[in-house]
Amino acid sequence: QVQLVESGGGLVQPGESLRLSCAASGSIFGIYAMGWYRQAPGKQRELVAAITRDGSTNYADSVKGRFTISRDNSKNTVDLQMNSLKPEDTAVYYCNTKREPWIPGGDWGQGTQVTVSS
């Protein structure tokens, strides 16, 4: 229903930070949850962080305390602040929508590459 475009990925050294941004072509005001997923080579796509329309958040154990997700419904954007990056964070990061808890599908962006290496 909406197009999502991620940006902000890149190559950084361990311990550094990146801020990913997801811009939606349409309103995200009524979308139950916006999320960031990531997929490393040879691994399944996993949920990194999600934020509901009322601001509740959920994080993967591996990123708790390091990553922060936020959404701006007025600007139709969702950001992921990533601090203290580790090599294990290397993956393609995707933005997605979850329109309601009982709806299995969603929208996906094209992904942005994050590489953490010394």
Side-chain angles (χ1 to χ4, degrees):
Q1 298 296 313
V2 299
Q3 295 182 17
L4 305 172
V5 180
E6 300 100 333
S7 63
L11 173 64
V12 297
Q13 296 183 24
E16 295 184 336
S17 300
L18 280 175
R19 188 176 184 89
L20 306 183
S21 183
C22 171
S25 63
S27 176
I28 64 169
F29 177 78
I31 296 177
Y32 170 70
M34 300 294 297
W36 282 96
Y37 286 71
R38 68 186 181 189
Q39 186 167 28
K43 297 184 178 180
Q44 287 190 294
R45 189 172 300 185
E46 65 173 344
L47 176 67
V48 177
I51 183 167
T52 65
R53 62 170 66 98
D54 67 352
S56 297
T57 57
N58 184 46
Y59 297 93
D61 288 341
S62 60
V63 307
K64 286 182 179 177
R66 300 189 296 120
F67 291 10
T68 302
I69 188 172
S70 60
R71 66 190 283 178
D72 188 334
N73 293 330
S74 67
K75 296 182 178 181
N76 300 318
T77 58
V78 182
D79 288 0
L80 183 68
Q81 177 66 45
M82 305 186 296
N83 297 327
S84 302
L85 284 163
K86 305 175 180 179
E88 66 186 30
D89 296 319
T90 296
V92 177
Y93 284 71
Y94 300 89
C95 180
N96 117 293
T97 65
K98 188 173 182 61
R99 297 186 175 276
E100 296 293 349
W102 55 88
I103 298 178
D107 306 295
W108 295 91
Q110 84 290 343
T112 185
Q113 176 70 233
V114 172
T115 302
V116 185
S117 176
S118 60

